[in-house]
Amino acid sequence: MLTDLPNLLTLSRIVAVPVVVLLVVISTPGTDCAACVIFILAGITDYLDGKLARAWHQNSDLGRMLDPIADKLLVGACLMVLAGLARLPYWTLYPAIIILSREILVSGLREYLATTKVGLPVTRLAKWKTGFQMTAIGFLLAGDSTASLLDITWLPVNLLGAIMLWVAAALTLVTGWDYLSTGIQHVTRNNQSVGNIVP
């Protein structure tokens, strides 16, 4: 099961985390560009692992466990290293905090709802949020230094990344509230069910 291709793709995303962090810390135009490329490839594996698992009927508990872990490690590590190196321009530290806080919230909700055998499905808006978020992080990893390296200085890479991260944060607030409301509804329903039980 661990050697199934979908699970290997998920594991590759986890392996990519320290590599991307190291490249960002080195902080040269070349390593910034390489960090962006590896992040993009990791994002592609996020799409492929689930698609292949469904197409090849290789869905597994291991894959369901590893996939969200890999996603959160990748996003969290990238945002934290960018914040630590003061590479979150245009006040994007604040949307980064919102995004990370939402990830913790959703993880907590999923953990609780799993005990009640209730799933928390991914909404279409959450997929849009992920798209903006991953694209924004890719731009911020690349930075204006990559634009200079590739001789495309007319492209405001940092600004575009910042705008998309703010958009992702706005979508994060909406989807986070949706998930929280769903979780509260299940908690309330369970409490009512327990209260209706006659001893």
Side-chain angles (χ1 to χ4, degrees):
M1 184 162 50
L2 186 62
T3 56
D4 290 345
L5 181 58
N7 288 337
L8 289 175
L9 290 173
T10 304
L11 288 170
S12 73
R13 209 151 63 249
I14 297 175
V15 172
V17 171
V19 178
V20 172
V21 169
L22 178 61
L23 290 170
V24 175
V25 169
I26 294 173
S27 194
T28 66
T31 56
D32 287 347
C33 183
C36 176
V37 170
I38 293 174
F39 181 82
I40 291 171
L41 293 175
I44 293 172
T45 68
D46 186 25
Y47 169 76
L48 286 178
D49 57 8
K51 189 175 182 62
L52 292 177
R54 289 186 295 272
W56 296 351
H57 306 290
Q58 291 182 341
N59 292 301
S60 65
D61 289 337
L62 179 64
R64 282 187 285 271
M65 178 190 73
L66 288 178
D67 187 63
I69 291 174
D71 294 344
K72 287 169 177 53
L73 283 175
L74 185 64
V75 170
C78 287
L79 288 177
M80 284 189 286
V81 73
L82 288 169
L85 296 175
R87 286 185 51 185
L88 288 176
Y90 305 102
W91 304 285
T92 44
L93 176 62
Y94 302 107
I97 292 171
I98 291 171
I99 289 169
L100 290 177
S101 298
R102 183 262 194 191
E103 295 300 328
I104 295 169
L105 169 69
V106 173
S107 295
L109 284 173
R110 289 189 191 280
E111 184 176 347
Y112 167 75
L113 293 175
T115 64
T116 63
K117 296 184 171 25
V118 173
L120 200 61
V122 177
T123 64
R124 183 179 296 274
L125 191 60
K127 292 179 180 180
W128 276 99
K129 186 275 300 183
T130 300
F132 274 102
Q133 174 181 288
M134 300 299 279
T135 307
I137 294 173
F139 269 74
L140 292 170
L141 288 171
D144 290 333
S145 63
T146 297
S148 298
L149 179 68
L150 300 178
D151 198 24
I152 50 173
T153 52
W154 52 266
L155 185 66
V157 177
N158 276 337
L159 177 60
L160 291 173
I163 291 171
M164 284 186 283
L165 199 65
W166 276 105
V167 172
L171 296 176
T172 290
L173 289 173
V174 176
T175 58
W177 175 253
D178 287 343
Y179 285 136
L180 181 60
S181 299
T182 301
I184 291 173
Q185 287 173 9
H186 285 295
V187 171
T188 303
R189 191 176 302 127
N190 288 340
N191 287 341
Q192 289 173 346
S193 299
V194 171
N196 290 333
I197 295 176
V198 179

